[in-house]
Amino acid sequence: MTQMKRILFILFIIPLIGFGQQTYVPDDNFEQELINLGYDNILDDYVLTSNIDNVISLNLQGKNISYLTGIEDFADLEEINCNGNQLASIDLSNNTDIRIIKCKNNPPLFTIDLRVPNYTTITTFIFTLNPSLSCIAVNNVSWFVSNFGNSNLFATSCAPISGCTDPNASNYDPLANSDDGSCTYDIYGCTNANASNYNSLATIDDGSCMY
């Protein structure tokens, strides 16, 4: 292949690669709301990144969402309302333009990560009615205390919580932020040792046993 053909090939393929980039959104309730808002069209755990990376405001209030995996690709996000869900953790550290955060009334909420470089542009941060909340990671503790109340929850980092961080695993731990390699996955098959097609690896019987 000549040098010119190589250049033309690269120029042709790069836009195709960028166009097909997808964001993993494993929480069905989160993805369904993205479908309702017109950012997606099929419930399959994936959303085209190009459909969400320029979204400025996102209202997810009361949608029974358990985890916000995928929020990191909302590159232009400035405002999020996730009040009244079932979130165990919220990580907005990659949402560098964030200014308004409303995340009250999430009973399982344990940690929030707000370590963004432009933290001084945050004007609203509502995190009340979260009885399980134990730590909010921020860049500048004194600035957050001064602007959002004298809370002992603010810290420069939160202690790692070990566990299974894969939402597809049967023992997924929504509180974990450090994977410990303990993830296990359901395997369907015949679980009866007396059957001719017994599967010793199966964890869930699928009714396929033969005798």
Side-chain angles (χ1 to χ4, degrees):
M1 184 182 290
T2 66
Q3 183 68 18
M4 181 57 70
K5 286 183 178 179
R6 288 194 185 95
I7 293 173
L8 290 174
F9 176 76
I10 293 171
L11 291 176
F12 172 77
I13 200 68
I14 287 176
L16 295 180
I17 294 173
F19 180 77
Q21 185 177 352
Q22 292 185 312
T23 294
Y24 183 46
V25 183
D27 188 291
D28 285 350
N29 292 329
F30 183 16
E31 187 181 6
Q32 183 58 56
E33 186 57 20
L34 296 181
I35 292 173
N36 296 343
L37 293 170
Y39 303 133
D40 193 18
N41 56 15
I42 183 171
L43 194 64
D44 62 354
D45 292 342
Y46 290 92
V47 177
L48 276 175
T49 305
S50 59
N51 288 351
I52 61 172
D53 60 5
N54 60 355
V55 173
I56 294 176
S57 179
L58 193 60
N59 186 353
L60 304 172
Q61 181 168 340
K63 302 301 179 182
N64 201 33
I65 298 169
S66 296
Y67 35 92
L68 286 176
T69 304
I71 198 68
E72 65 276 6
D73 283 347
F74 285 72
D76 292 342
L77 191 65
E78 296 181 8
E79 177 178 358
I80 185 170
N81 181 348
C82 51
N83 291 338
N85 283 286
Q86 296 298 317
L87 297 169
S89 63
I90 299 173
D91 186 350
L92 299 175
S93 59
N94 288 315
N95 305 100
T96 56
D97 292 335
I98 200 71
R99 297 186 301 105
I100 299 173
I101 307 107
K102 300 175 182 178
C103 56
K104 69 179 182 181
N105 194 22
N106 281 271
L109 187 59
F110 196 69
T111 61
I112 301 173
D113 193 337
L114 263 184
R115 290 175 293 183
V116 292
N118 302 325
Y119 63 88
T120 57
T121 63
I122 296 175
T123 59
T124 302
F125 180 29
I126 301 173
F127 55 96
T128 56
L129 303 178
N130 295 311
S132 301
L133 188 60
S134 67
C135 181
I136 303 173
V138 296
N139 297 77
N140 186 323
V141 171
S142 60
W143 186 89
F144 275 88
V145 169
S146 175
N147 285 273
F148 302 110
N150 187 19
S151 173
N152 58 4
L153 297 174
F154 294 120
T156 53
S157 64
C158 297
I161 303 171
S162 298
C164 174
T165 60
D166 185 352
N168 293 315
S170 58
N171 62 330
Y172 167 66
D173 184 355
L175 295 179
N177 53 30
S178 177
D179 196 279
D180 61 2
S182 67
C183 294
T184 57
Y185 301 86
D186 291 330
I187 301 174
Y188 290 84
C190 175
T191 60
N192 191 325
N194 296 318
S196 59
N197 62 328
Y198 167 64
N199 183 353
S200 61
L201 298 178
T203 58
I204 297 178
D205 195 280
D206 62 0
S208 67
C209 293
M210 297 182 295
Y211 303 90

